[in-house]
Amino acid sequence: MNLDTVHWQYLQGQPSGTGLLKAFAEDFIVREQLGYEPCGEGEHIYLWVRKNGLNTANVAEQLARFAGVHPRNVSFSGRKDKYAITEQWIGVHLPGKTDPDWNAFTLPGVEILKAVRHNRKLRTGTHKANAFELVLREISQVDEVNSRLSKLSAGVPNYFGEQRFGNRNGNLHLGARMLAGETIRDRQKRSMAISALRAWLFNEIVSCRIRDKYFNQPMDGDIMLLAGSNSFFCAEQWDETLQQRLNSQDILLSAPMWGEGALASKGAALAYESAQVQQHAELCAGLAALGLKQERRALVEYPQNLVWHWQEDCLHLSFSLPAGGFATAVTRELFNPKPAIAQTGGK
């Protein structure tokens, strides 16, 4: 099973220059945007946590131990980068219990900045967006990067970033061994391996649509996502009304997140998607056998609140992406990343 991750297409063509991402943790700052405010009462405690050098799941485990609850009573909406400074909400379910002294919680690299009660569990994927503040160093082709910056707001491929595949694609290789029959007893490692396999297939289909000039060109039968929602519909016959909605970003083209069951697309889109995945029949069968359901993910992501400036030969870039978007899918369109001083890891 060939699971190469370096061949995926670029929307504007592969950049000729290089740059340095994540030279230091302070060069990559992520702040979760929940989209609502905790109400101040209820049996769930939302903790606003800043971390550096740790992954989200490990922090959640330590919080569960400190609060004296089972790890399943601690939840988070999304995993954040390990080698970065990130701020996010982590929820702790404490029915009928008083608040622990959160000031007494000690874990190097972690600060609890705020604790607020809420009446609902913090569930996976419920946050609205993530805001990024990046410092990009050692840019070799400044003019090219400036030209590419001006095109980012028009959208970039919604690829899963390298973080999803793990250091040196470790999660992806583990997933391949799992499909070959290896037993993975660690639930977190198994989950990350499955996610990596599914993400790889999604990226593959996105890359094919760019290659074949269908990234911005809809087909009859394409599945359209409603912006800001998990709802979708099949555009069985493309028309001007749908094109206007697509142009205004009210609806978004999508690609499959593979699982068991039939593709939702129809007509020309169904024929196209089926042709692409036929090349990866073993992977598709393996994902379906795991009990995953067919889902959809947007082909394109649109960086919002995009701002940049140059300072001392460094590019300072800030923007926000909907939940599930990867900042590295944005920077990928600007330059080829050089090996970082601080080893980058997974979410």
Side-chain angles (χ1 to χ4, degrees), residues 184-246:
I184 304 175
R185 303 190 184 281
D186 186 296
R187 291 180 62 186
Q188 182 179 337
K189 288 183 178 180
R190 176 181 169 85
S191 176
M192 294 296 286
I194 293 171
S195 294
L197 291 172
R198 206 180 191 198
W200 184 91
L201 186 58
F202 172 86
N203 281 11
E204 187 74 6
I205 298 171
V206 173
S207 180
C208 289
R209 287 195 68 138
I210 296 173
R211 178 198 65 197
D212 298 333
K213 312 302 182 186
Y214 287 124
F215 184 74
N216 294 314
Q217 180 62 47
M219 291 178 263
D220 288 344
D222 258 326
I223 297 300
M224 310 304 300
L225 297 178
L226 299 179
S229 168
N230 292 323
S231 299
F232 63 83
F233 66 93
C234 181
E236 295 191 41
Q237 187 170 0
W238 198 253
D239 58 29
E240 183 59 32
T241 299
L242 289 173
Q243 186 65 51
Q244 290 175 0
R245 294 182 66 187
L246 182 65

Side-chain angles (χ1 to χ4, degrees), residues 279-319:
Q279 304 172 56
H280 310 289
E282 181 183 356
L283 175 55
C284 291
L287 290 172
L290 291 167
L292 300 168
K293 303 299 181 184
Q294 286 281 354
E295 297 175 326
R296 307 294 297 193
R297 174 180 166 96
L299 280 177
V300 60
E301 60 183 0
Y302 296 97
Q304 302 295 315
N305 306 311
L306 181 66
V307 177
W308 70 85
H309 70 273
W310 294 87
Q311 182 178 340
E312 297 179 354
D313 298 326
C314 296
L315 174 61
H316 293 249
L317 178 64
S318 64
F319 53 88

Side-chain angles (χ1 to χ4, degrees), residues 248-269:
S248 66
Q249 301 174 21
D250 176 50
I251 57 176
L252 305 169
L253 285 162
S254 71
M257 294 286 289
W258 202 261
E260 63 179 348
L263 284 163
S265 52
K266 297 181 180 180

Side-chain angles (χ1 to χ4, degrees), residues 70-91:
H70 193 279
R72 66 170 173 264
N73 285 23
V74 179
S75 60
F76 45 86
S77 181
R79 298 175 184 269
K80 300 295 183 285
D81 296 75
K82 180 177 180 180
Y83 293 100
I85 296 176
T86 71
E87 296 181 6
Q88 71 178 119
W89 290 103
I90 296 181

